[in-house]
Amino acid sequence: MDYLKTVVPSQLMAERGANLVVINPGSANVCMGFASQDVPFNIPHCIARHKNDASRLLVRDQRLNCRAGSSHNAEREKSYDIIASLLNIPFLEEISSSENPSLPPKMGRVDSLSSQQNKDDSKLTWTDVMDKSIKSSTSIERPVHSDADEDPSQSTSEDGNRSNAEESKYKEMIFGEDALKIPPSASYCLNRPIRRGHFNISQNYPSHQVLEDLRTIWNWMLTEKLHINPKDRNLYSVILVLGETFDNREIKEMLSIVLGDLGFSTAVVHQEAIAAAFGNGLSTTCVVNIGAQVTQVVCVEDGVALPHTALALPYGGDDISRCLLWVQHRHRTWPSFKTDPMKRPMDMLMLNKIKETYSQIRSGSFDAVAPVHSYEHEKSSGHQKTRLSALSVPPMGLLYPRLLIPEEYPPPPRPWFQDCDDMLEDTWQTNDGLSGNGGLGAWDSYQMLPTRLKKFDNIGLIEAIVSSVLSTGRVDLQRKLFCSIQLVGGVALTAGLAPVVEQRVLSTIPSNQPVERVVVLQSGRNPLFIPWKGGVILGVLDTTRDAWIHREDWIKNGVHVGSGRKYKDSYFLQSQVMCYYNT
């Protein structure tokens, strides 16, 4: 402890972070890196396997997707009208009446690009699916017993054919963004092991394949990105930063992957909300984590997540991107391209890029001119400039989720996970056979409500924040939390989102609640990596290494033998976190 009081944070990071690997898996991306890194590798969480008999880029979860029905579209139109009225965006009827009625309906501003503009940086390129490691025919061994009278020309021809066959071999597996940019003509099966915060298990995607894909993706990142030899992984430890949506069975399976399959020596699980709080140097905060497919709201007090405040909402950044396309079709500004983000991953990549570049929340009509590409055919992809309209509307879908229609991309069914064991409970035994806290789990012994339910409610982000904070039941804590709202995740970078959240939360709080201020804290780091960075800080500053799960114990017993983590650290640890964060 005396050493920790005098050590420089950078020195502590170098000493303890070199052999720590932090993994923060999400539905769309996975963040992975050494604790000594400033930022992790952020890779799309998917894998494409070559299949000779597979349909072109068949997505494993494709059959679970559904189109919006008439009732969904009616609710979406109603939500759009509410948002347009709030943001003072002209309705389509007002736009049409202000223009010459003799003109045909407006299909968007479409301009041909000049030859210099053809090299637009926004254009995505197809992945080369051929294995370049295969060499020419000189590397092919000739038969030992060959016919001496064999025709040389015929031999050369056969060797040439064999060489060409080898050189045209497809890559067996493709990972990350390259897997999302495979040409439509190549026969690959695209697998996404996590969907809407859960394992993407379905009749078309069995559990053993999901786990195998997770193991293969993580092993590829460890080998190709972090350059950790599999034989040396027993020298490293893993910090798993996991969202609150994962089931107990799913947490166990991921621990089995890192400790059993990948061969790490020790591992520890940290809740994403706790890591996000520490990543910003906070101990008491309302964490609003807006991911690609799930939005999680959890209140944290003195470094402890309050389980009864946890809310999981089935929408995120990917839904905003799809909504952006719908808004453009509604305004008839999208070019006549067959853009389908549900079937073509390249289209989704393009929409995400447009959303990140142009989407923001502001009053009034906000348009922008952006290049739009067609990826329907890899050899004749069109590209046009078009005026995108009402760009403030899609991110407002966080407040009005019926605009996003989460049912278009629903969560996977859940009957596969019925595990009553809780990885977050204390399991050490006393002489009388009862657990050390009197038979109650760590969460159940907490002074607040003992509920641990994870809710998937179709409510807006503002209602979720207010409901989560008010469920704490203490006025003093509620005031602290309302003045310490933390937005994390990629969507948190949306310009204008924080002021809207402050204003709408304050106006939604019941009048009988003595709350006068609402503050969304500005982050000093990239909100996308804050949970990962918090996992780094918790791992590096953790002084209770005996609480980590050892590989031998896990393989032998299947569970962690020892005291469970309650995530409530000393004030000294918090001061060290603040010291590191401020540097």
Side-chain angles (χ1 to χ4, degrees), residues 234 252-267 423 548-561:
N234 62 328
K252 291 181 180 180
E253 296 291 358
M254 284 186 277
L255 280 171
S256 295
I257 289 175
V258 298
L259 292 174
D261 299 329
L262 300 180
F264 286 95
S265 62
T266 55
M423 292 300 299
W548 286 48
I549 306 173
H550 293 268
R551 184 173 187 267
E552 294 78 11
D553 293 336
W554 183 264
I555 294 176
K556 180 180 178 180
N557 302 309
V559 297
H560 177 39
V561 180

Side-chain angles (χ1 to χ4, degrees), residues 287-446:
V287 178
V288 182
N289 189 351
I290 310 175
Q293 298 177 12
V294 176
T295 297
Q296 303 170 69
V297 182
V298 183
C299 292
V300 177
E301 180 188 12
D302 292 335
V304 177
L306 308 181
H308 56 281
T309 66
L311 287 170
L313 311 175
Y315 49 80
D318 286 354
D319 301 281
I320 295 175
S321 297
R322 285 198 297 271
C323 180
L324 184 147
L325 178 63
W326 176 82
V327 169
Q328 304 316 309
H329 281 311
R330 187 180 187 276
H331 281 259
R332 293 172 291 181
T333 59
W334 198 256
S336 57
F337 296 150
K338 294 182 179 179
T339 305
D340 191 346
M342 304 291 281
K343 293 183 178 180
R344 282 193 294 274
M346 282 281 270
D347 288 340
M348 193 65 190
L349 285 175
M350 176 185 63
L351 289 172
N352 278 331
K353 195 170 185 178
I354 294 175
K355 174 198 66 180
E356 294 167 3
T357 304
Y358 300 101
S359 183
Q360 59 179 277
I361 299 178
R362 55 188 289 185
S363 181
S365 180
F366 172 54
D367 299 346
V369 177
V372 175
H373 300 269
S374 172
Y375 299 102
E376 185 177 2
H377 306 289
E378 62 231 54
K379 294 183 179 179
S380 59
S381 59
H383 50 281
Q384 297 176 347
K385 276 189 175 179
T386 186
R387 180 177 60 82
L388 305 179
S389 300
L391 292 171
S392 298
V393 172
M396 286 291 290
L398 296 172
L399 281 60
Y400 300 90
R402 299 315 305 164
L403 179 74
L404 305 178
I405 309 187
E407 290 84 358
E408 277 190 339
Y409 198 70
R414 305 307 306 144
W416 285 271
F417 297 98
Q418 302 294 337
D419 193 343
C420 60
D421 293 337
D422 195 333
M423 292 300 299
L424 298 179
E425 288 183 351
D426 284 331
T427 56
W428 55 280
Q429 301 292 315
T430 60
N431 294 331
D432 58 1
L434 297 177
S435 62
N437 58 2
L440 297 177
W443 288 128
D444 295 324
S445 63
Y446 193 71

Side-chain angles (χ1 to χ4, degrees), residues 44-201:
H45 211 174
C46 59
I47 177 176
R49 299 179 184 269
H50 182 249
K51 301 289 184 180
N52 292 325
D53 57 346
S55 302
R56 296 178 181 178
L57 206 64
L58 172 66
V59 181
R60 280 284 188 181
D61 53 30
Q62 184 170 282
R63 295 186 183 180
L64 294 179
N65 298 334
C66 63
R67 297 296 179 183
S70 57
S71 61
H72 292 137
N73 286 325
E75 292 179 341
R76 170 176 271 181
E77 290 286 349
K78 181 179 179 180
S79 298
Y80 178 92
D81 291 342
I82 295 174
I83 296 172
S85 177
L86 290 172
L87 299 180
N88 298 319
I89 298 175
F91 291 93
L92 290 178
E93 296 79 6
E94 299 174 359
I95 298 176
S96 301
S97 61
S98 63
E99 297 177 348
N100 190 340
S102 62
L103 294 178
K106 180 172 55 179
M107 293 301 295
R109 177 66 181 274
V110 180
D111 298 329
S112 299
L113 297 179
S114 64
S115 58
Q116 295 181 349
Q117 291 173 317
N118 286 339
K119 299 180 180 180
D120 186 9
D121 292 338
S122 65
K123 178 177 173 57
L124 302 171
T125 57
W126 297 106
T127 297
D128 185 359
V129 298
M130 309 313 296
D131 193 347
K132 297 301 183 182
S133 63
I134 305 300
K135 303 301 181 181
S136 61
S137 59
T138 57
S139 63
I140 301 177
E141 295 182 1
R142 301 176 65 87
V144 176
H145 303 288
S146 59
D147 189 354
D149 296 330
E150 183 180 5
D151 187 355
S153 62
Q154 182 178 357
S155 175
T156 303
S157 176
E158 291 178 357
D159 283 348
N161 291 337
R162 293 171 63 189
S163 172
N164 293 335
E166 292 292 336
E167 288 179 342
S168 62
K169 182 178 180 180
Y170 284 95
K171 296 177 181 177
E172 290 298 324
M173 295 179 291
I174 302 177
F175 302 88
E177 187 169 321
D178 288 340
L180 302 177
K181 300 189 294 185
I182 295 178
S185 60
S187 295
Y188 280 82
C189 182
L190 180 66
N191 296 349
R192 308 174 192 266
I194 298 180
R195 169 178 180 164
R196 295 287 192 198
H198 286 291
F199 285 178
N200 190 16
I201 297 176

Side-chain angles (χ1 to χ4, degrees), residues 212-248:
E212 173 63 19
D213 288 343
L214 270 179
R215 184 197 68 81
T216 305
I217 295 170
W218 293 4
N219 182 68
W220 170 78
M221 291 187 66
L222 291 168
T223 304
E224 298 297 327
K225 300 300 181 180
L226 302 186
H227 305 291
I228 303 178
N229 193 306
K231 295 183 297 183
D232 299 331
R233 289 178 188 165
N234 62 328
L235 304 176
Y236 294 85
S237 299
V238 167
I239 302 166
L240 279 175
V241 180
L242 303 180
E244 284 70 20
T245 58
F246 287 114
D247 294 337
N248 303 321

